[in-house]
Amino acid sequence: MGAQADFHPPHYLYEKLCGDKWSRCMFLDMQMVRPELERFLCDQVRSHPAIMLCDTAKVRDVLLDEGDGPHTVVWSSSRDGRPSSARVRWVLDCSGRNRFLAKKMKHAVDMDDGFQTTAAWGQFSGVTDALFGERWVFNDEDGDKSSRDYFTVHMWGEGYWIWVIRLGGDRISVGVTWDQRLPPTGASLREKFWNVMRRHPVLDGLISEETLLEFRSYRDVQHLTDTFVSERRYGMVGDAASIIDAYYSQGISLAMVTSWHIANIVERDVRENRLDRAYIDRVNEATAQDWQIMRNMVREKYSPAIADSRFFALSHLLDFVILFASGPVRADLVRWLIDTEGDTSRETPELRAIRDRLERCLYFSQTTAWRWLSPSACRRSSGRFNPRSRSGRGSGSTMGSAGPPSRPSSASPSPCRPSGDCRC
């Protein structure tokens, strides 16, 4: 199953990789418009002969059996309110930020360290190539030029960062996430959004209320769960489990990886009548630490020290040590998915060996480079090596935990504005 993305803006690798499915899946990034992707996936599920999709059902309760018997899902139709129920062996919560099972089973993790963020974003129409002038062009040292609008653009300010992502059909997604300890001015989240956008003249004429197609916001972006799959035969994936930040675009990726692991556990239980408790424990421990690793990475991006280009480069280089270490494991996953299309009955002995290896290593905290550390030790190490600014006097950065971000002095660089020689 696959979705054909709209190749606009054109990707510089598309022509080179168009005949190589593995390379396209591994290296060719595309921006997916989530509502359209979700409609595509729903259509795929609806057409599957072994799946019944109840897209008008609203789940009211889940009654978990205390033993090995089936669970009961209580639901009602959104059309006529008629109640109904289903008896199932496994329950998977994909309810998004409603977090039905995390709240019911008390798996939500308290985040009381003072670091919480708010996000607001919009999708805009009428964004054509003609709106991007010279200030969106990057001039390389060897004379080559590249247009920044063909890539995801990040811009920073005091306690916030902005994304600018062109989509298909002359649309663009622009959003901002800010540290709640340094909120923008404004009475509403929408007003705060526009007050931040006005700080960046490069966006003038690109977006406006008149071209706004959709506006959305999360007052509290981050949440975590301590359990992703349970011996009691239920699981949580995507935003129903954990979410940290859009910074590295890892939310859907981590959700899909978690889903892949849970699918293996469910299949083993249903087909082999074997509940793999060791695998369940590994998924819960390693996945929880992976999300904490992502939180370590993004936390300092809200620090005033990010205005120092040396700190900026060091921070991202240290992040890439973790992200790039997963490359060989991700390459194996891409090969397995292409060759099997997710169907384990198509596995060869070699592909089965790959799946066995992925079950152990498909986590940021357990890739080959870090397997000599426990997941929690890997997460602690990433926290120690991520430089964070300390609040208080002085402008230098240091290794250690971050306090509330201090406001930069008047000599600090202004929020980044792309220009001919800006590398943001």
Side-chain angles (χ1 to χ4, degrees):
M1 181 176 67
Q4 177 64 47
D6 185 344
F7 287 98
H8 185 84
H11 194 290
Y12 71 105
L13 288 176
Y14 177 59
E15 294 296 333
K16 296 180 180 179
L17 303 179
C18 63
D20 184 345
K21 191 173 184 179
W22 182 90
S23 296
R24 283 190 289 120
C25 293
M26 188 69 187
F27 302 114
L28 182 55
D29 293 332
M30 292 170 287
Q31 301 298 342
M32 309 298 289
V33 181
R34 188 162 180 172
E36 296 170 10
L37 174 61
E38 289 175 348
R39 283 195 295 271
F40 170 84
L41 293 175
C42 278
D43 289 341
Q44 293 291 310
V45 170
R46 186 179 288 108
S47 64
H48 196 288
I51 298 176
M52 181 176 67
L53 176 64
C54 303
D55 54 357
T56 62
K58 182 175 180 60
V59 174
R60 301 298 181 182
D61 201 1
V62 174
L63 308 176
L64 298 175
D65 188 80
E66 295 295 334
D68 194 49
H71 305 318
T72 302
V73 177
V74 181
W75 56 278
S76 62
S77 171
S78 60
R79 290 178 178 172
D80 56 19
R82 182 178 301 175
S84 188
S85 64
R87 290 167 67 80
V88 299
R89 179 150 186 85
W90 278 84
V91 177
L92 299 182
D93 185 357
C94 306
S95 64
R97 297 180 69 85
N98 290 329
R99 309 187 69 202
F100 186 92
L101 282 181
K103 294 175 181 177
K104 178 180 177 68
M105 305 307 295
K106 303 188 186 307
H107 290 308
V109 174
D110 290 333
M111 301 176 66
D112 56 359
D113 60 359
F115 176 54
Q116 181 57 274
T117 51
T118 296
W121 67 97
Q123 190 178 131
F124 300 84
S125 64
V127 181
T128 63
D129 292 339
L131 296 180
F132 297 91
E134 277 299 313
R135 58 184 173 179
W136 286 88
V137 175
F138 174 72
N139 299 300
D140 208 345
E141 295 175 356
D142 59 7
D144 289 341
K145 295 184 177 182
S146 59
S147 188
R148 284 195 180 87
D149 59 291
Y150 284 178
F151 307 89
T152 299
V153 175
H154 289 187
M155 294 183 282
W156 286 265
E158 185 181 349
Y160 69 88
W161 70 276
I162 293 172
W163 72 81
V164 181
I165 303 173
R166 290 191 71 181
L167 306 170
D170 291 338
R171 292 170 297 176
I172 195 169
S173 172
V174 180
V176 58
T177 304
W178 63 81
D179 189 326
Q180 291 182 358
R181 296 169 294 189
L182 289 174
T185 59
S188 66
L189 294 183
R190 191 161 179 155
E191 187 176 340
K192 292 177 188 290
F193 169 85
W194 284 112
N195 284 341
V196 173
M197 297 303 128
R198 293 186 188 102
R199 300 178 189 178
H200 297 266
V202 73
L203 299 175
D204 292 348
L206 198 64
I207 59 175
S208 67
E209 280 283 1
E210 289 71 30
T211 60
L212 180 63
L213 297 172
E214 176 190 49
F215 179 82
R216 298 190 64 188
S217 61
Y218 292 155
R219 188 169 298 278
D220 295 317
V221 174
Q222 304 176 46
H223 59 250
L224 295 170
T225 183
D226 61 13
T227 300
F228 298 84
V229 58
S230 170
E231 293 182 5
R232 295 188 64 187
R233 293 176 284 115
Y234 64 84
M236 293 160 279
V237 296
D239 290 1
S242 296
I243 183 173
I244 293 299
D245 199 280
Y247 193 84
Y248 280 123
S249 303
Q250 287 296 313
I252 290 180
S253 176
L254 284 171
M256 298 299 288
V257 167
T258 305
S259 299
W260 186 86
H261 285 302
I262 294 177
N264 291 331
I265 292 168
V266 172
E267 181 184 52
R268 202 157 295 160
D269 176 59
V270 172
R271 291 188 173 178
E272 302 176 18
N273 196 29
R274 178 168 66 92
L275 191 61
D276 195 336
R277 291 177 170 81
Y279 193 4
I280 289 172
D281 290 343
R282 182 165 62 250
V283 169
N284 286 329
E285 180 185 10
T287 306
Q289 300 307 324
D290 283 359
W291 279 106
Q292 292 285 5
I293 286 171
M294 292 306 303
R295 195 165 188 259
N296 284 344
M297 289 180 183
V298 304
R299 182 169 186 157
E300 76 243 11
K301 305 307 185 290
Y302 295 90
S303 160
I306 205 72
D308 186 320
S309 61
R310 297 165 299 174
F311 175 88
F312 178 91
L314 176 60
S315 171
H316 287 81
L317 286 172
L318 292 172
D319 293 348
F320 293 159
V321 169
I322 297 288
L323 295 173
F324 288 175
S326 66
V329 178
R330 298 288 170 132
D332 279 346
L333 176 63
V334 169
R335 181 185 174 190
W336 187 90
L337 289 171
I338 289 174
D339 291 350
T340 67
E341 296 187 349
D343 185 349
T344 55
S345 67
R346 299 183 182 183
E347 283 182 329
T348 63
E350 183 181 4
L351 290 171
R352 178 57 209 239
I354 288 177
R355 179 156 65 111
D356 289 342
R357 184 163 63 252
L358 291 172
E359 289 181 3
R360 298 189 303 271
C361 301
L362 188 56
Y363 315 92
F364 285 130
S365 56
Q366 287 293 279
T367 56
T368 303
W370 312 114
R371 286 198 64 201
W372 55 279
L373 291 173
S374 68
S376 59
C378 182
R379 187 263 302 169
R380 289 194 300 271
S381 297
S382 75
R384 292 192 184 100
F385 287 110
N386 272 324
R388 299 169 182 166
S389 69
R390 293 183 185 272
S391 60
R393 308 180 88 176
S395 58
S397 63
T398 184
M399 302 290 187
S401 299
S406 57
R407 295 184 177 270
S409 67
S410 58
S412 298
S414 60
C416 179
R417 299 184 175 96
S419 62
D421 58 357
C422 174
R423 293 180 177 266
C424 46

